[in-house]
Amino acid sequence: MNEEDKNKRITQMCNFIIQEAKEKVNEINLKTDNDFALEKQMMVHNSKLKLQKDFKQMEKDIQTQKRIVKAKAEAAHRVKLMDEREQLIQDVKEAAIDALIPATKDEKKYKDMLKKLIIQGLIKLNEAKATVLCRECDVSLVQEAIKEAGPEYKKLIQETTGATPSCDLTLNPDGKSLPPPPDGSGAKSCAGGIKLLAHGDRLVLDNTLDSRVQIAYEQLMPQVRQQLFATRI
């Protein structure tokens, strides 16, 4: 093989190698492009899935927040409604007390009421000595009521038990007294009636008009609520 044939053979081999290399490069580039396109497609798909998941979670959070806000608003409304109803019931109670005030203006009837309250209190206390508390404006009426209540109490006990009870009553000792009548200021007040105390003020029997209204108020509460509120909260 002469020199020219050698060179031609070498040139052919080089061209073959170069061609193979080019084809290999093209193959690698094609695979790279395909891999990149696939990876890009996967990234886009995964991003969409994540966005969808995040959106659903966000939507769920928004709905939860809406329910929380609604529940708080409903609870606040119920509390407001309950407060308004309670205030209305208190207004009814205060109106009942105010309605009793005219009864204290008729001295004859009021004195008779005071006498009966004192006798009832003495029967319940069953004590020989007791303190009577009244409003300062009722002192003179209560003094008269005490004078009449003592003998009637003794007579009642004698007739029912045969015993002769003692009845030593002291009125408003040491400057003690019940609060004054209501004046609309909201200050502590008393609509009328008396309190009986015994054994160093450890025994207390509240026979004020306020106490009587409170007892009736508690006993009639179901009926009052039924009359005022037709439906539940």
Side-chain angles (χ1 to χ4, degrees):
M1 183 181 295
N2 56 32
E3 190 67 26
E4 184 179 353
D5 291 336
K6 282 184 180 180
N7 289 335
K8 188 182 294 186
R9 184 70 177 271
I10 291 172
T11 299
Q12 288 176 345
M13 291 180 65
C14 287
N15 289 337
F16 176 78
I17 293 171
I18 291 171
Q19 183 62 34
E20 286 291 324
K22 286 181 179 180
E23 290 178 358
K24 195 65 178 176
V25 168
N26 289 335
E27 184 181 339
I28 292 172
N29 287 336
L30 181 61
K31 188 176 186 306
T32 300
D33 290 342
N34 291 336
D35 290 346
F36 175 75
L38 182 61
E39 184 67 24
K40 182 180 178 181
Q41 186 177 4
M42 287 295 297
M43 289 178 64
V44 171
H45 178 69
N46 290 336
S47 297
K48 286 182 179 179
L49 290 178
K50 187 176 184 304
L51 284 173
Q52 290 176 352
K53 182 180 179 181
D54 292 345
F55 179 78
K56 287 181 179 179
Q57 184 62 46
M58 188 183 301
E59 189 177 27
K60 184 178 178 181
D61 292 343
I62 291 173
Q63 293 301 323
T64 300
Q65 190 63 32
K66 284 183 178 179
R67 286 195 293 270
I68 292 173
V69 171
K70 182 181 179 181
K72 287 183 178 180
E74 289 175 348
H77 176 70
R78 283 196 296 271
V79 170
K80 182 174 180 292
L81 190 57
M82 289 174 66
D83 289 343
E84 290 174 352
R85 289 187 172 187
E86 186 60 32
Q87 183 58 51
L88 182 56
I89 291 174
Q90 289 298 321
D91 291 344
V92 170
K93 177 182 172 182
E94 291 175 8
I97 292 176
D98 291 341
L100 290 175
I101 293 177
T104 65
K105 302 302 182 183
D106 187 325
E107 291 190 357
K108 183 177 179 181
K109 291 182 179 179
Y110 185 41
K111 185 183 76 171
D112 186 60
M113 180 194 298
L114 290 170
K115 179 186 69 174
K116 291 177 180 178
L117 291 174
I118 292 170
I119 293 173
Q120 183 190 62
L122 289 172
I123 293 172
K124 288 184 177 181
L125 280 180
N126 192 26
E127 296 292 335
K129 293 184 179 181
T131 296
V132 180
L133 295 183
C134 70
R135 303 182 301 182
E136 287 295 334
C137 61
D138 291 338
V139 168
S140 59
L141 283 178
V142 174
Q143 285 175 336
E144 294 179 21
I146 288 174
K147 290 178 182 178
E148 296 177 10
E152 288 191 27
Y153 166 69
K154 291 179 180 179
K155 181 180 178 182
L156 179 63
I157 298 300
Q158 286 174 343
E159 290 177 350
T160 54
T161 66
T164 303
S166 297
C167 183
D168 184 4
L169 299 179
T170 304
L171 178 62
N172 287 4
D174 304 322
K176 295 179 182 179
S177 66
L178 296 180
D183 58 6
S185 66
K188 190 174 182 180
S189 63
C190 176
I194 54 96
K195 278 187 180 181
L196 285 173
L197 299 86
H199 285 288
D201 298 349
R202 291 191 297 274
L203 287 179
V204 179
L205 192 143
D206 191 340
N207 254 356
T208 60
L209 300 185
D210 308 73
S211 174
R212 291 306 184 90
V213 169
Q214 180 64 32
I215 293 172
Y217 169 79
E218 292 173 357
Q219 291 176 342
L220 296 174
M221 180 60 66
Q223 293 93 317
V224 171
R225 288 187 178 275
Q226 181 64 30
Q227 291 291 326
L228 290 176
F229 314 119
T231 59
R232 293 185 178 182
I233 295 175

